[in-house]
Amino acid sequence: MAGDASTVPVVTIDGPSGSGKGTISRLLMERLGWHLLDSGALYRLVALDALRTATDLDDEAALVALVGRMDVDFRLHPRRAEVVTLLDGEDVSMDLRTEDCAAAASRVAALQGVRAALLDMQRGFRRPPGLVADGRDMGTTVFPDATVKIFLDASAQERAQRRHKQLREKGISASLPALVAEIEARDDRDRNRAASPLVPAADAYRLDSTRMSIDEVLEQAVSLLGTKGLMHGPK
Ligand code: DC
């Protein structure tokens, strides 16, 4: 690795899905002009690769070998303001969002061997001028020495409503009570699993976005980064 990566600043944004961390991470990355690590996408990529190659989702050794072969890249889309995910050079962004892939990702993410195999890959994203890392264990396990750690949360009801709205916008109908139940079950699994459970780092700044707009969350995050000398100028 060129230079000393440990001197490159990192901002970690951890929290459950639906807390707004993906949106905030992308906005911060653009504001700072830094790199972005969407670690959830890595677990989804392992899952997608496993589904495509008919690898057994319980075969930890085979999944670890698959991680070693994966060629992953994230690029800013040249026209749309979004990040695209490439697996072996192919844009798989849409495939990663399917429910099948999410369900498989949550299974592979519970395997300690898979988490360990992804550790170096995640740390490899730490490159100048800086990194915004989005996930569940960025501040606790992957970048414990991060410059700023944010833990973004929201009530299960609010996160279900956000998901409901997203699905409606895509023309997909879903029952709100079923979404709340699904989110609560996933929270329970994520917060209570043995390998890297979803918990705020002791030194994380905790933000509850339940009654906040994205702009308000962004403003708080930017002002926090400002106090650490990471923002230059008012914008
Ligand atoms: O954030 P997401 O929905 O794309 O994450 C996909 C899965 O990966 C989800 O089950 C949580 C898990 N995950 C994890 O265990 N650790 C991370 N750092 C990021 C995601």
Side-chain angles (χ1 to χ4, degrees), residues 21 39-41 43-44 97 105-106 109 115 135-138 193:
K21 70 194 164 63
S39 61
Y43 290 96
R44 286 173 186 261
R97 295 290 126 207
S106 139
R115 303 198 73 88
R136 305 290 194 288
D137 61 343
M138 299 295 98
R193 69 175 176 223

Side-chain angles (χ1 to χ4, degrees), residues 22-23 25-38 72-86 91 93 125 127 132:
T23 307
S25 300
R26 191 176 48 75
L27 292 170
L28 278 180
M29 159 209 140
E30 284 170 5
R31 191 74 83 91
L32 291 158
W34 286 7
H35 300 283
L36 175 72
L37 167 61
D38 173 2
V72 177
D73 202 5
F74 296 104
R75 296 253 173 88
L76 212 49
H77 192 280
R79 289 176 302 282
R80 299 192 300 270
E82 62 189 49
V83 176
V84 295
T85 308
L86 304 176
D91 179 356
S93 313
F125 281 81
R127 289 188 296 254
V132 177

Side-chain angles (χ1 to χ4, degrees), residues 105-144:
S106 139
R107 284 178 62 187
V108 303
L111 301 172
Q112 183 54 47
V114 171
R115 303 198 73 88
L118 284 175
L119 207 52
D120 280 347
M121 191 191 288
Q122 294 178 87
R123 290 183 175 150
F125 281 81
R126 186 174 196 167
R127 289 188 296 254
L131 177 70
V132 177
D134 161 356
R136 305 290 194 288
D137 61 343
M138 299 295 98
T140 50
T141 306
V142 183
F143 302 108

